[in-house]
Amino acid sequence: MIPTTAFVLGAGLGERLRPMTLATPKPLMPIWNQPLLEHTLRILESWGIQEVYINTHWLPDAMEAYVNAYAGSLKLHILHEPEILGTGGALRCMKKHLKDEAFWLINGDIVFQADATPIVEAFHRSGAFAAAWLDPSVGPRTVEMDFKQRITCWASPTPKVEHTYTFTGVSLLSKKVLNYLPETPKMCSIVEAFNAAMYDNHFVQGVVQKEAYWNDAGTPEAYLQVHRDAQRLPQLKAYTLHANTLPAPEVAQALAALHWDLADTIVIPMGKRGSNRTFWRLVHKKDAAIAIAYESVERVENRRYADCARCLKKAGVNVPSVLSDQPGLLLLQDLGDSTLDKHLPKNNGPEPIDKIEAAMKQLAKFHAAKTGTLELEPTFDQTLLEWEHNFYQTHVAPLPKAAQKELQQLIDVLSKEPMVLMHRDFQSTNILWYNKRPYIIDFQGMRKGPALYDLASFLYDPYLTWSDEVIQHAITTYALTAHRDAEEIRQKLPYAGLQRLLQAIGAYHRLASVGQTRFLAYIPTAQTRAINFAKALGLSALAKALDR
């Protein structure tokens, strides 16, 4: 008999699929325009499951809306976690809901097709303790089994060698497993319980299925591969049957402009971003595009994106090509997700000096671009510099009068800088590395302003840390390309660095106040750098005010 209760894990952050999962929880990411979770629930229905509990954490409103709209035969329940608890912690909360002695534990963010019977049989071979479905060919393959197919190691020191396996996230457990969960801390993994149980001679029985399918869809590459597999594998046919469901009217408009058939197009929602814009990635065979729907009345800079892109491309700046420009909808060349911050060295490896050089040359070209009659954002003059100082004080804390007085030195230096075409947000996440070249994105807010602000945005980006050697090399490269004096830049750059960091700290606090708490992680780095700049410039009152 197959147990009829399942616990589906839906609380994960989906970090490897960002930015797509910033606005859509991974279980609701579409596979051929059908939510991934929908497919999982259909499988559970086919297994004879009757009741399903789903835990949530990231974007819980979206998950709850899906459950409320669900029209299948399963009885669904939401268990919200204000603080993410991990698999083990979530199961502690689940314990009081378990009526039967055994239950299914399913990762809610995987794509799979499997037969329940072999897993049930393995469960009984384990002494009705636990069974886990393993895959022998894909994934990290960190699981080891003995000759009786008992799992003896969950973190193999020699992964991906012969006879290692990947845990698929599909298991059948008895309530006895929960007795081995640690009492503290709150967040823990179910593997901790499995490891503890082995000391009492309780092992999880592993099972491999030859005709099954599994993919964790955890990276953009794996996510796209699932779509390809769904077209050719009979067990994933349910996905392609729903390929004609339109996710949004703007998508239909975009596909019509591209002359692409929805049935052959992968539609990947990337959610809302700044300036009231909503993004989709569209993949059609070997072609790809980014669709951006925007409010054309409230934020006029959104309307200017296409004209800005054409202007920059004419000036020799690497930017995405405009594929279509319609009122409220923009289609751009898809350059992927390989932002410059992802090219940082690992394990103290060499810094990507060649990429930094290329970025500096692009920045110099950007600053030299002629805009003619192109409408721009207001000039980044004394008024905007003061606005950024007020922005910091509004979202962080008011500064003492002595510190406010010292801020005038930043305004005096930067407002006397030559006014060039500036990006204003020239940081690593707005530089894509594509086809061995840097491409600049998110430039719709460009305006005339001090070049040093963009340079400081890049070199003192709180998202990453460059060595002093790299910073000096970048300054030299920019100065040579822009025909400026490198020493003069070095003298004035700390003022721009401090100005930019104050803006960034204010922005991180504001974003955290509206629920985007991940930005809190970058505040300590930005604050330390701001304090050091203030001290180096002799702004002692400001340095003291920031160091609190």
Side-chain angles (χ1 to χ4, degrees):
M1 179 177 176
I2 294 179
T4 59
T5 300
F7 184 22
V8 175
L9 298 166
L13 301 176
E15 291 181 300
R16 291 182 298 156
L17 271 184
R18 288 187 175 179
M20 293 182 286
T21 49
L22 287 176
T24 303
K26 189 183 172 188
L28 299 186
M29 287 292 293
I31 306 294
W32 286 112
N33 310 323
Q34 176 190 153
L36 188 156
L37 181 59
E38 177 80 15
H39 183 68
T40 297
L41 295 180
R42 288 186 182 187
I43 291 174
L44 297 184
E45 286 178 357
S46 71
W47 285 3
I49 306 300
Q50 298 174 9
E51 197 162 19
V52 176
Y53 291 83
I54 305 170
N55 70 333
T56 65
H57 171 73
W58 179 246
L59 302 173
D61 291 345
M63 294 288 287
E64 187 170 351
Y66 171 82
V67 168
N68 290 339
Y70 171 75
S73 64
L74 298 170
K75 186 176 182 180
L76 304 184
H77 308 274
I78 288 286
L79 300 175
H80 179 59
E81 298 176 8
E83 179 183 350
I84 198 162
L85 301 175
T87 316
L91 280 174
R92 269 200 223 95
C93 298
M94 174 71 179
K95 188 173 183 179
K96 62 184 178 182
H97 300 286
L98 294 174
K99 302 169 187 174
D100 301 324
E101 285 303 311
F103 64 98
W104 295 91
L105 181 63
I106 313 287
N107 283 1
D109 59 356
I110 59 173
V111 179
F112 74 100
Q113 185 73 48
D115 185 355
T117 303
I119 305 173
V120 174
E121 292 172 350
F123 176 77
H124 290 297
R125 289 198 302 272
S126 76
F129 179 70
W133 170 31
L134 307 177
D135 193 291
S137 57
V138 297
R141 290 172 55 197
T142 58
V143 179
E144 297 178 1
M145 290 191 292
D146 65 10
F147 68 99
K148 291 185 178 180
Q149 284 73 55
R150 299 178 303 184
I151 296 175
T152 56
C153 180
W154 293 87
S156 173
T158 56
K160 295 189 177 182
V161 301
E162 190 176 5
H163 301 307
T164 56
Y165 306 85
T166 295
F167 175 40
T168 64
V170 176
S171 56
L172 179 56
L173 311 179
S174 71
K175 288 200 292 189
K176 291 180 286 187
V177 172
L178 307 187
N179 296 330
Y180 292 95
L181 288 170
E183 291 299 322
T184 57
K186 287 183 179 180
M187 183 173 181
C188 63
S189 167
I190 187 63
V191 172
E192 293 181 50
F194 293 155
N195 286 332
M198 283 192 274
Y199 289 99
D200 283 348
N201 203 34
H202 292 309
F203 290 86
V204 180
Q205 190 79 15
V207 57
V208 176
Q209 299 191 43
K210 291 182 179 180
E211 301 303 321
Y213 175 86
W214 175 83
N215 189 321
D216 78 343
T219 64
E221 294 77 16
Y223 180 74
L224 291 175
Q225 185 59 48
V226 168
H227 287 80
R228 302 184 191 101
D229 294 342
Q231 288 186 312
R232 64 182 179 83
L233 296 175
Q235 60 264 47
L236 297 181
K237 192 174 182 180
Y239 275 125
T240 57
L241 291 176
H242 290 259
N244 291 317
T245 303
L246 272 175
E250 294 89 349
V251 173
Q253 184 183 349
L255 295 177
L258 294 167
H259 304 291
W260 291 355
D261 186 351
L262 177 63
D264 295 321
T265 303
I266 302 169
V267 180
I268 305 172
M270 299 173 72
K272 277 190 175 291
R273 306 290 182 84
S275 304
N276 291 327
R277 293 173 294 168
T278 303
F279 289 66
W280 293 271
R281 169 169 278 137
L282 310 176
V283 182
H284 181 265
K285 299 178 181 178
K286 294 184 178 181
D287 297 319
I290 300 294
I292 307 171
Y294 61 89
E295 171 54 60
S296 60
V297 176
E298 290 183 7
R299 302 296 294 266
V300 294
E301 73 269 21
N302 289 330
R303 295 200 308 264
R304 293 198 288 264
Y305 194 103
D307 289 337
C308 290
R310 296 184 186 104
C311 170
L312 293 171
K313 187 176 281 288
K314 185 177 180 180
V317 181
N318 296 336
V319 296
S321 297
V322 177
L323 304 179
S324 177
D325 177 22
Q326 303 177 30
L329 182 67
L330 180 67
L331 299 178
L332 298 176
Q333 174 190 16
D334 185 1
L335 301 177
D337 299 307
S338 185
T339 51
L340 189 59
D341 59 305
K342 295 178 182 177
H343 291 268
L344 284 173
K346 296 181 180 178
N347 301 322
N348 297 318
E351 293 178 286
I353 292 180
D354 57 332
K355 294 180 174 61
I356 296 167
E357 278 187 359
M360 290 296 94
K361 291 176 181 178
Q362 282 297 304
L363 180 59
K365 283 187 177 182
F366 192 107
H367 288 165
K370 304 299 181 183
T371 57
T373 59
L374 182 66
E375 184 183 3
L376 301 174
E377 286 293 285
T379 300
F380 202 94
D381 55 12
Q382 179 172 334
T383 301
L384 274 180
L385 290 167
E386 290 176 348
W387 181 89
E388 287 193 340
H389 297 163
N390 293 332
F391 181 80
Y392 173 91
Q393 295 186 84
T394 298
H395 295 286
V396 184
L399 294 170
K401 288 185 178 180
Q404 293 183 40
K405 187 176 180 180
E406 289 178 347
L407 287 174
Q408 186 61 42
Q409 293 188 39
L410 307 185
I411 296 173
D412 291 342
V413 171
L414 294 176
S415 60
K416 293 175 184 176
E417 269 283 289
M419 295 288 106
V420 300
L421 181 67
M422 67 176 293
H423 186 287
R424 197 189 177 183
D425 201 18
F426 191 76
Q427 56 188 14
S428 59
T429 53
N430 284 331
I431 304 171
L432 288 170
W433 198 258
Y434 175 77
N435 200 21
K436 300 182 179 180
R437 292 190 295 172
Y439 281 74
I440 300 174
I441 61 172
D442 215 17
F443 45 74
Q444 69 275 7
M446 67 188 196
R447 66 194 69 213
K448 291 297 179 72
L452 295 187
Y453 189 96
D454 279 347
L455 191 59
S457 299
F458 179 83
L459 295 179
Y460 308 120
D461 184 349
Y463 295 147
L464 46 78
T465 299
W466 303 120
S467 68
D468 186 63
E469 179 185 359
V470 165
I471 289 174
Q472 298 308 319
H473 184 77
I475 292 172
T476 300
T477 301
Y478 174 82
L480 287 171
T481 311
H483 307 292
R484 289 198 56 173
D485 183 86
E487 288 309 310
E488 181 189 7
I489 290 176
R490 290 186 174 93
Q491 290 175 12
K492 295 181 178 181
L493 196 58
Y495 293 93
L498 181 52
Q499 176 77 27
R500 171 62 178 181
L501 289 166
L502 290 174
Q503 185 276 335
I505 295 169
Y508 297 155
H509 276 277
R510 186 190 68 80
L511 290 166
S513 72
V514 296
Q516 299 189 49
T517 55
R518 64 190 179 91
F519 288 98
L520 292 173
Y522 305 114
I523 291 176
T525 297
Q527 188 170 350
T528 299
R529 290 178 182 173
I531 293 168
N532 290 339
F533 278 134
K535 289 179 178 178
L537 294 171
L539 308 178
S540 57
L542 182 57
K544 183 179 179 180
L546 295 174
D547 191 12
R548 60 186 179 187

